Amino acid sequence: MNCKKLHCKKGFIFLLLSMVFLLSGCEQMVVFDPKGPVAESQKDLILYSLMYMAGIIVVVYVAFTVIVIKYRDHSKRKESSYKPNQHGNKAIEAVWIIIPIIIVTLLSIPTVNTLFDLEKPPESSSEKEPLVVYATAANWKWFFSYPEQDIETVNYLHIPTDRAIEFRLASAGSMAALWIPALGGQKYNMAGMQTILYLQADEPGVYDGMNSNFNGEGFTEHTFEVYAESGDKFKEWVNKQQKNAPKLTQDQYNKLLEPGLVDRYTFSSTHRQWVKHGTMDDMDYAIERFREEYKTQMHLENDGEQNNNEN
């Protein structure tokens, strides 16, 4: 028995050490390394909630330990003689009603305030008009339309730093959710309606974007990259695409819209001249054209093509 206990103890210690070494190699979670004001406010809310709930757990476990030790039955009798009188105890009833109300209130107030603040552009760039980008999800690719610049990109986008981005979200097919963890939380893309998401990058860099709502076979590849750069570099990129990128034709757009995976593309016009997926009139545009494709099992492969103008 002693040997077994010794082996168990060594195994437990080895397991703990292994977890320490494995976790020490993990990079910091992206949501705790924000690159913009939206992600920063959400990180603060997450940390507040974690610390608040951790405090509650500590209080509960301490109270539980004290009660177990202080009121345990020392006798060896099977039945305890202790018979608590809790019926009609107004003090106890007040405690288990009031304390949960206080807990929920203290969690709800900062959460609601943050949610309302995120429904408008960040105040740090209030002197600049937000850059409008229509982000349309399809199975399984992303279309980003810049109406002011008359540019459309597929599976990547460029944005200026220190300026709010007003994403106008819609879907050409199944429900998706645009999420750029370094810049802020997700919001849903749905066919036949439009939602607004404000994000902002304060630091130049390349950030990963993805679909955070499972929507079928190509879900894991439903990703994109965000190139955040200074305002001047963004203008250079815009000028380059307006001069060099080809025009988007409706036939080409329909081909890209077909369910499957595609690479990156850049165009000097947008699909919004033919279809607006965020409206009720155009919500079935893709379904009407590719209804049969959705009925078959797909073996998804990237089309292997790439427009050389995207960077």
Side-chain angles (χ1 to χ4, degrees), residues 44-307:
D44 293 341
L45 180 61
I46 292 172
L47 291 177
Y48 168 80
S49 301
L50 289 175
M51 290 186 291
Y52 189 76
M53 289 184 285
I56 294 172
I57 291 173
V58 170
V59 172
V60 170
Y61 275 93
V62 169
F64 176 78
T65 304
V66 170
I67 291 171
V68 167
I69 295 174
K70 184 175 181 179
Y71 296 103
R72 72 185 185 278
D73 188 2
H74 294 278
S75 68
K76 295 181 180 180
R77 293 175 299 173
K78 293 183 179 180
E79 295 183 0
S80 173
S81 59
Y82 175 65
K83 296 180 180 179
N85 181 19
Q86 294 182 340
H87 181 70
N89 191 322
K90 294 182 179 180
I92 294 178
E93 291 177 356
V95 167
W96 66 45
I97 292 175
I98 294 174
I99 289 181
I101 292 175
I102 294 174
I103 291 173
V104 172
T105 300
L106 292 178
L107 281 173
S108 299
I109 291 175
T111 301
V112 171
N113 287 337
T114 300
L115 290 176
F116 275 96
D117 288 341
L118 297 182
E119 290 301 314
K120 53 189 178 182
E123 293 183 359
S124 61
S125 60
S126 58
E127 74 282 357
K128 302 176 185 176
E129 285 294 321
L131 173 68
V132 175
V133 177
Y134 286 86
T136 305
N139 297 78
W140 288 267
K141 71 279 295 183
W142 290 94
F143 296 94
F144 298 102
S145 306
Y146 300 76
E148 298 174 15
Q149 292 76 22
D150 203 24
I151 292 174
E152 181 153 321
T153 61
V154 182
N155 289 334
Y156 86 101
L157 75 157
H158 281 242
I159 61 172
T161 55
D162 300 316
R163 182 181 177 185
I165 311 300
E166 182 181 314
F167 287 102
R168 300 184 182 181
L169 310 178
S171 175
S174 57
M175 186 173 175
L178 184 141
W179 187 27
I180 308 172
L183 303 184
Q186 61 90 32
K187 187 172 278 191
Y188 290 108
N189 298 63
M190 293 169 279
M193 65 179 298
Q194 181 176 275
T195 52
I196 304 294
L197 174 65
Y198 290 103
L199 297 177
Q200 180 177 314
D202 286 344
E203 299 180 23
V206 181
Y207 305 118
D208 293 326
M210 64 196 74
N211 168 25
S212 63
N213 184 67
F214 179 75
N215 63 344
E217 298 172 64
F219 166 72
T220 56
E221 302 297 328
H222 202 178
T223 59
F224 59 95
E225 286 186 327
V226 182
Y227 295 85
E229 55 205 0
S230 67
D232 291 338
K233 288 187 176 181
F234 175 74
K235 290 179 182 178
E236 291 177 7
W237 175 81
V238 168
N239 292 333
K240 178 181 177 182
Q241 307 318 314
Q242 290 174 337
K243 292 178 181 178
N244 301 327
K247 296 288 184 181
L248 176 63
T249 65
Q250 189 170 9
D251 288 340
Q252 189 171 17
Y253 178 66
N254 291 342
K255 183 180 178 181
L256 291 172
L257 203 59
E258 183 176 357
L261 304 179
V262 300
D263 215 314
R264 300 181 180 184
Y265 291 87
T266 312
F267 302 99
S268 56
S269 61
T270 78
H271 72 266
R272 291 181 54 77
Q273 57 190 306
W274 311 294
V275 56
K276 297 177 175 62
H277 297 285
T279 63
M280 293 296 292
D281 291 338
D282 293 333
M283 66 179 295
D284 293 329
Y285 183 88
I287 299 298
E288 291 171 351
R289 287 161 175 76
F290 306 112
R291 190 180 301 275
E292 294 301 319
E293 280 80 351
Y294 285 103
K295 297 179 181 179
T296 60
Q297 182 72 26
M298 299 178 187
H299 300 283
L300 298 177
E301 294 182 1
N302 195 295
D303 63 5
E305 299 180 15
Q306 185 168 347
N307 190 311

